[in-house]
Amino acid sequence: MTIDFQAVLERIAAEMTPLAGRSGTVASYIPALARVPAAHFGLALRTREGLEASAGDANVPFSIQSISKLFTLTLAMRRMGDDLWERIGREPSGNPFNSLVQLEYEQGKPRNPFINAGAIAIADRLLGHGETKAELLQLMSDLCDEPIEFDAEVAASEASTGYRNFALANFMKSFGKLDNDVDDVLDFYFHQCAIRMSCLQLARAAGFLCRDGAHPQDGRGEVTSERHARRINALMLTCGTYDAAGDVAFSIGLPCKSGVGGGIVAVVPDQLTLCVWSPALDASGNSYLGMLALERFAASTGLSIF
Ligand code: GLN
């Protein structure tokens, strides 16, 4: 059966748009994000073969926040292979993304690469391997074939209010689990979170995850190996939406990575990547309407890994 993806996305956007901003709340702990109007909804997808479909605010750039963790993990796996797992676990945390509690019990080794502590540890590893913020932007631009920038205001806003992230980084440093200076590591981390991209750009950029690691743009080689791509999808399913990961597996059944900017990237392995955006969040820090939209998408297309 061939699915008319454009019609599916338009139907979902027509259902969701009137609800945008009615439920959930825009992240307010980062002042620059609190100013984003809640009443946005957009979604876009790109198939393995490169067919694209989009609806609603699919071309409006937003702060990708924790979706960036997907790309820094990919870079770190590429650079370090299995050595990466010496300092970072691969288990769901069952705790909020910025929780400090587990880190003390587990002597500064974050549960997984998608909670804040894990992503900060990855930023440290990348810096240790000479990776720069400019190279990260270059990767993102190359993946979606369009110039991508940081939102300097969001990065500065996070740096001035990131008390919990400073606490997490200092905590890891105290356990000897960060090699670089805390300020340098967090500067990298805050900037990766402050990348601005649209749903369509993210659906394109994540395309290697439905192509066994091959670059989303034909003829540009591989972004990562098939083995790594499979593992990143596994981590997205088990850890990509924080303490809601079990619920997401239950009701959506796709590997997903969310961010507090209201974006969620989802992968249908071997078939397509999808990105949905609506800024108002549920209690776990995942987009309220984004989750609902992904549920509708999985139900109406029958696409799920289960
Ligand atoms: N920049 C945000 C933070 O560090 C990212 C969190 C998220 O998107 N879940 O708190």
Side-chain angles (χ1 to χ4, degrees):
M1 181 189 68
T2 51
I3 301 171
D4 182 347
F5 286 120
Q6 185 57 38
V8 171
L9 298 198
E10 278 172 14
R11 201 165 48 239
I12 294 173
E15 285 170 16
M16 297 293 131
T17 304
L19 307 176
R22 296 257 185 101
S23 299
T25 41
V26 174
S28 57
Y29 72 103
I30 302 170
L33 287 188
R35 291 195 279 277
V36 177
H40 277 293
F41 178 84
L43 81 175
L45 65 75
R46 188 173 200 268
T47 66
R48 186 185 174 100
E49 294 76 30
L51 181 139
E52 294 180 344
S54 61
D57 297 324
N59 288 302
V60 179
F62 59 89
S63 188
I64 74 169
Q65 292 294 317
S66 284
I67 297 173
S68 64
K69 296 170 182 172
L70 181 58
F71 299 96
T72 53
L73 171 66
T74 303
L75 270 180
M77 286 172 84
R78 193 159 87 183
R79 287 221 178 233
M80 303 187 53
D82 288 342
D83 291 351
L84 179 66
W85 306 114
E86 282 166 19
R87 289 221 182 141
I88 299 158
R90 299 185 296 252
E91 292 294 341
S93 71
N95 275 312
F97 60 84
N98 54 7
S99 171
L100 285 149
V101 181
Q102 223 160 32
L103 206 52
E104 168 127 57
Y105 288 134
E106 297 176 2
Q107 278 96 46
K109 181 175 177 178
R111 268 286 170 104
N112 68 63
F114 292 150
I115 50 173
N116 286 11
I120 292 169
I122 296 240
D124 177 62
R125 314 276 48 217
L126 288 174
L127 283 183
H129 280 77
E131 196 72 42
T132 63
K133 290 182 283 184
E135 280 167 342
L136 178 61
L137 273 191
Q138 212 177 337
L139 171 78
M140 302 310 292
S141 307
D142 177 56
L143 286 174
C144 69
D145 217 18
E146 286 178 14
I148 299 300
E149 301 290 347
F150 296 121
D151 183 328
E153 191 197 343
V154 172
S157 186
E158 288 213 49
S160 63
T161 56
Y163 307 112
R164 273 185 172 261
N165 289 321
F166 276 101
L168 291 167
N170 280 307
F171 217 37
M172 285 189 280
K173 188 82 179 169
S174 78
F175 281 109
K177 298 278 167 59
L178 287 189
D179 294 336
N180 296 281
D181 193 74
V182 164
D183 288 334
D184 293 341
V185 175
L186 287 178
D187 179 61
F188 188 98
Y189 172 75
F190 291 141
H191 276 85
Q192 72 175 70
C193 291
I195 290 172
R196 274 168 70 78
M197 290 172 78
S198 67
C199 289
L200 195 55
Q201 288 171 328
L202 276 166
R204 278 183 199 149
F208 64 94
L209 293 171
C210 73
R211 292 164 61 97
D212 298 325
H215 198 293
Q217 318 294 331
D218 282 332
R220 292 199 201 167
E222 71 175 20
V223 177
T224 191
S225 64
E226 183 182 347
R227 176 169 170 264
H228 282 170
R230 201 169 53 233
R231 291 180 157 189
I232 295 164
N233 279 324
L235 287 166
M236 287 171 74
L237 183 75
T238 53
C239 314
T241 45
Y242 317 112
D243 44 343
D247 233 21
V248 169
F250 183 81
S251 53
I252 299 170
L254 294 173
C256 291
K257 182 73 209 85
S258 62
V260 292
I264 308 173
V265 164
V267 184
V268 183
D270 299 326
Q271 297 198 50
L272 59 88
T273 38
L274 173 69
C275 179
V276 55
W277 172 56
S278 191
L281 309 177
D282 63 19
S284 300
N286 300 308
S287 170
Y288 180 87
L289 275 192
M291 288 296 183
L292 202 58
L294 288 174
E295 215 175 306
R296 299 268 164 99
F297 178 83
S300 67
T301 59
L303 293 171
S304 144
I305 63 167
F306 298 109

